[in-house]
Each structure stands twice: as structure tokens, then as C-alpha cells.
Amino acid sequence: MKSSIIEVLQQYDNFAELKEFSEYGNGHINDTYLLDYEGIGKIILQKINKSIFKEPKKLMENIALVTSFLRDKIEKNGGDPDRETLNLIKTKDGQSFYEDSKGDIWRAYNFISDTICYEQVTNAKEFYESGFAFGNFQNLLADFPVNKLSEVIKNFHNTEDRFVTFKAQINEDPLGRVKDVKEEIDFFLNREEYTHIFNRALANNEISLKVTHNDTKLNNILFDKDTKKALCVIDLDTIMPGVAAFDFGDSIRFGANKGLEDEPDLSKVGLDIELFEAFTRGFLEACGKSLNKREIEILHMGAIVMTYECGIRFLGDYIAGDKYFKIARENHNLDRARTQIKLISDMEEHIEEMKKIVEKYI
Ligand code: ADP
Ligand code: GN1
Ligand code: MG
């Protein structure tokens, strides 16, 4: 074990009882480890990716505030706050994070045991559950004091801003990759109109900002292993003021895809309309009452825009030399961008069906 990690582990109780330490999970951003203590149990340890989160201490303030707010709410609602929300584990000095000698920020959470974390949906019931969980998450935080939250990544879901970055990456082309991905680039350039939809709706006050999760991938929910019900929303790094349709849309992008986000065989990729319907029902049963008519009727566009935004982020990162998203193989970000392209094309073909489904809830 590296000495830098030992330094961190010693900040938490029970170092002498530590019997196992391993890398864990499939996140693209942070380094996640599972620690197993003899006779005590497990905890999750994470090193925050500071090249992405420039102000990790502010991020940790957000998480400390949000998790204690959620804990109180869940307790009041008669739920189990040890399993239905993440809980930060304090260091021996009573801090909610530890800054190591290299300036990296580490945090520990209770490990939520007997859960399943899915990379792909196995049935519509599960995806309904995931819709309900993300909708309910927005509901639980509806009266959270927004002004206390720092915007940890500026313009995180500002698609117009993402588009500007994408064009700059194409212009820079540091590795000469642009010539091989012209078709993919054109796909996105030809659909620039998508980048404006939500900024315009916000500017016209048709929709409003709420406290949202902003990274609503299926693998950011833990399901109870026995009941198969969605139990806990995790990965709270990007909680910020945001648009409901983006939480909705990012879930559809990842979970209503018939294939994986990085599936190289594009014949397996496409929108599963039955899953779209199941998620919509769950999400709107949980938070529909707090959305206005326009916020509901624009939800399906959130799915297209989130897929578009992620697509330009993956392709831009491929062109820039894979600097942002963790990759596990050559062309990984390009494969991810191609699945987003296939998915957008499929959503465009099914747009009328998607529209009809969300309109049922107005
Ligand atoms: P990233 O930001 O890199 O996606 P996450 O916080 O989502 O990191 O964690 C990565 C993975 O680790 C999750 O998808 C999940 O499988 C697992 N995980 C994270 N926190 C917990 C926890 N408290 N209990 C159980 N599993 C967890
Ligand atoms: C990242 O952290 P993770 O793996 O849940 C990314 C999301 C992307 C997603 C694509 C902070 O999410 O915005 O949609 O990868 N998170 C950040 O899979 O950039
Ligand atoms: Mg994650």
C-alpha cells in the first residue's frame, strides 16, 4: 500500500483493524476504495479529483450540508437515515475530510451494505424505481436553502458553454485526431440548435432553477439487494442549482439506452421507449407536483440535450487527449461519443412518442 494512502487511513478510527483495502466501483471521476475492518465493517474512501473539482473544500461543505439536511428529513419521514442517505465519517480530529501532504482531499462514507449498483437496467420496474428515487431526491431538497450551496463546477450543464469548449478543442486538435472523426464532429455541429433550448427557457422564465443532483446515472443509485427498491442516491459532488429536465434527461441518456454507455457494437444501442415511460412515471409521481406545465412538457427535450451535451464532452475529451473522463481502453471516449450519437438519432426518430408520454402528466 502506498505511504500516501496509509497517511490517510491513519486519520480514521480503527486503523489497526483494517484487513482489506481495494479499488471499488465504476465511476469516471473520483478514486474510490473499499475498506474492510475486522469485526467492525466496511467504509468507502474517496479521493476527490481535484483537476475537475477546483475547490474541493467548498464541495465538501456542500456535501456536509446536504447529507445532514437529508438525514434529518429522512428521520422525520420515518425512514432509515443510515441507509437512505450517504453519511460522512469524521476523521479522528472531527473533520468531514482530510487534506493530505500533497494537497489531495479525501472523504469517507458509511458503506451501504446489501445493495446492488446497476450499470444497466434489467427491467422496467427497476427503472421506475430509479425515476422515483431521483424525483424524490429533488423533493427532499425542495426547501434546502439554495444560497448555501457553492456552484462547484461553473456552467456544468450550460450546453451553450460546453459547445464553445467543444469548438475550441476541435481547433486545438493537439493529437491530430480531428481528421478521423469528421463525421462525428459534423453530427454535433449540425445540431447546435439543441444547445440553446434550456438557456432560452430559463431566460424567458418558462422554467426555474431548483436544487438538483446533476449526475443522475443509474450507477449513482444503490438498490436494496432483497426488495430491489431504490434505496440511496449517491455521488453528491454535483448538487447545485439546476434544471429538473437535466436530472430527468441524464437518467434517460444512461438508463433507457438498450446498450451500455460505452458499447462498441452500435447495433445494440438505442432508446427503449418502455423504459422511458417507466422512468417518466416514477420521476413525475415523486416530483411532478413541484413542476409547472412547461417544465413537464420540456422533459423529453432534456433527454436529447443531456445526450447531446455528454456526446460533445466525450468527443471533445477524445480530441483533447482523454484528459477528463477516466478511460480503460484505447478510443474509449470515442466509443462513448458514438453511442451518444446513435442514441440521439434514435431519440429523434421517437420524439413524438416521447412527447406524448410526458404530456400525459400535465
Ligand atoms: P464517481 O464520482 O467517480 O462516479 P461515486 O461516488 O459514484 O464516484 O462512487 C463510485 C461507485 O462506488 C458507485 O457507483 C458505487 O458502486 C460505489 N459506492 C460509492 N459510495 C458508496 C457507498 N456509500 N456504499 C456502497 N457503494 C458505494
Ligand atoms: C461523470 O462521476 P460519474 O462517473 O457519475 C460526469 C458526468 C457525466 C458522466 C458520464 C463530475 O459521472 O457529468 O455525465 O461521467 N461527472 C462529472 O458517464 O463530470
Ligand atoms: Mg458515480
Side-chain angles (χ1 to χ4, degrees):
M1 208 186 285
K2 282 194 232 146
S3 60
S4 57
I5 290 183
I6 294 180
E7 174 197 334
V8 177
L9 296 172
Q10 283 172 334
Q11 307 309 312
Y12 292 91
D13 285 335
N14 308 314
F15 178 63
E17 274 69 47
L18 185 64
K19 65 169 180 188
E20 227 179 290
F21 172 90
S22 52
E23 285 186 30
Y24 196 72
N26 275 326
H28 295 346
I29 305 294
N30 296 312
D31 292 345
T32 302
Y33 303 94
L34 179 65
L35 315 182
D36 195 356
Y37 294 88
E38 189 72 53
I40 295 167
K42 297 175 178 159
I43 67 172
I44 287 280
L45 180 73
Q46 287 184 316
K47 181 168 90 175
I48 299 175
N49 186 326
K50 68 175 177 197
S51 67
I52 290 178
F53 297 107
K54 309 282 184 209
E55 296 189 280
K57 290 183 191 169
K58 285 201 173 151
L59 178 155
M60 286 311 300
E61 263 170 47
N62 280 1
I63 292 191
L65 287 170
V66 166
T67 49
S68 70
F69 184 92
L70 287 173
R71 197 177 164 85
D72 288 350
K73 264 268 162 91
I74 291 167
E75 222 159 15
K76 268 189 210 127
N77 295 347
D80 178 354
D82 291 331
R83 284 177 68 69
E84 292 173 29
T85 176
L86 290 176
N87 292 276
L88 283 167
I89 296 177
K90 299 239 161 92
T91 64
K92 287 196 269 190
D93 294 344
Q95 303 300 316
S96 52
F97 62 86
Y98 174 66
E99 181 170 11
D100 72 12
S101 42
K102 286 195 262 158
D104 281 317
I105 301 287
W106 298 76
R107 63 169 173 230
Y109 286 124
N110 57 323
F111 176 77
I112 305 181
S113 58
D114 302 313
T115 57
I116 311 175
C117 183
Y118 294 103
E119 290 303 316
Q120 213 169 4
V121 171
T122 60
N123 60 60
K125 174 86 181 53
E126 249 161 40
F127 206 41
Y128 160 85
E129 277 290 324
S130 128
F132 194 89
F134 281 125
N136 188 43
F137 186 81
Q138 260 184 40
N139 245 0
L140 290 173
L141 292 171
D143 54 345
F144 182 90
V146 182
N147 54 345
K148 291 201 172 160
L149 285 181
S150 306
E151 198 183 351
V152 284
I153 301 182
K154 294 251 175 310
N155 291 319
F156 189 62
H157 283 319
N158 182 343
T159 316
E160 285 173 335
D161 191 71
R162 296 280 186 190
F163 188 72
V164 171
T165 304
F166 178 58
K167 284 196 297 189
Q169 288 165 323
I170 297 168
N171 279 336
E172 279 171 32
D173 192 18
L175 304 176
R177 288 179 167 176
V178 161
K179 63 181 183 320
D180 303 319
V181 291
K182 286 242 180 281
E183 218 178 292
E184 288 82 357
I185 292 173
D186 284 345
F187 180 91
F188 290 112
L189 295 183
N190 290 337
R191 287 166 175 75
E192 184 186 347
E193 76 211 66
Y194 288 144
T195 68
H196 307 300
I197 295 174
F198 284 90
N199 282 356
R200 282 189 190 139
L202 278 168
N204 294 337
N205 291 320
E206 295 165 32
I207 63 175
S208 65
L209 291 176
K210 318 197 184 283
V211 178
T212 48
H213 182 280
N214 296 305
D215 188 3
T216 51
K217 280 160 60 166
L218 181 69
N219 65 10
N220 287 331
I221 294 190
L222 301 176
F223 286 75
D224 187 289
K225 168 169 104 7
D226 300 319
T227 64
K228 302 281 179 346
K229 285 200 169 288
L231 181 68
C232 181
V233 171
I234 61 168
D235 204 343
L236 309 178
D237 295 330
T238 50
I239 293 179
M240 286 180 278
V243 170
F246 289 167
D247 273 6
F248 175 90
D250 204 33
S251 282
I252 298 298
R253 173 190 79 74
F254 190 90
N257 182 357
K258 290 178 193 156
L260 290 168
E261 184 187 65
D262 59 356
E263 174 59 60
D265 177 357
L266 292 178
S267 70
K268 294 185 182 154
V269 174
L271 177 76
D272 184 324
I273 199 80
E274 193 200 339
L275 291 180
F276 180 89
E277 179 146 35
F279 188 92
T280 306
R281 190 160 54 81
F283 188 79
L284 289 177
E285 272 177 21
C287 75
K289 285 200 190 74
S290 61
L291 305 180
N292 69 28
K293 176 172 178 284
R294 184 70 187 137
E295 283 168 332
I296 295 177
E297 73 187 10
I298 207 171
L299 282 177
H300 65 296
M301 289 314 297
I304 295 187
V305 171
M306 279 295 94
T307 311
Y308 178 95
E309 184 183 288
C310 227
I312 58 176
R313 291 176 66 195
F314 287 145
L315 187 56
D317 197 35
Y318 172 74
I319 292 168
D322 306 307
K323 301 245 181 284
Y324 188 99
F325 297 106
K326 287 187 185 176
I327 55 167
R329 58 175 192 252
E330 216 183 321
N331 295 342
H332 206 163
N333 274 317
L334 180 57
D335 287 344
R336 290 171 178 149
R338 286 178 171 152
T339 61
Q340 305 307 293
I341 290 175
K342 175 77 191 294
L343 195 52
I344 294 166
S345 310
D346 210 31
M347 287 179 183
E348 287 172 343
E349 274 177 33
H350 291 92
I351 193 154
E352 286 308 317
E353 281 168 80
M354 290 160 74
K355 196 160 172 271
K356 276 202 190 109
I357 291 170
V358 300
E359 281 174 355
K360 279 199 290 194
Y361 296 88
I362 293 178

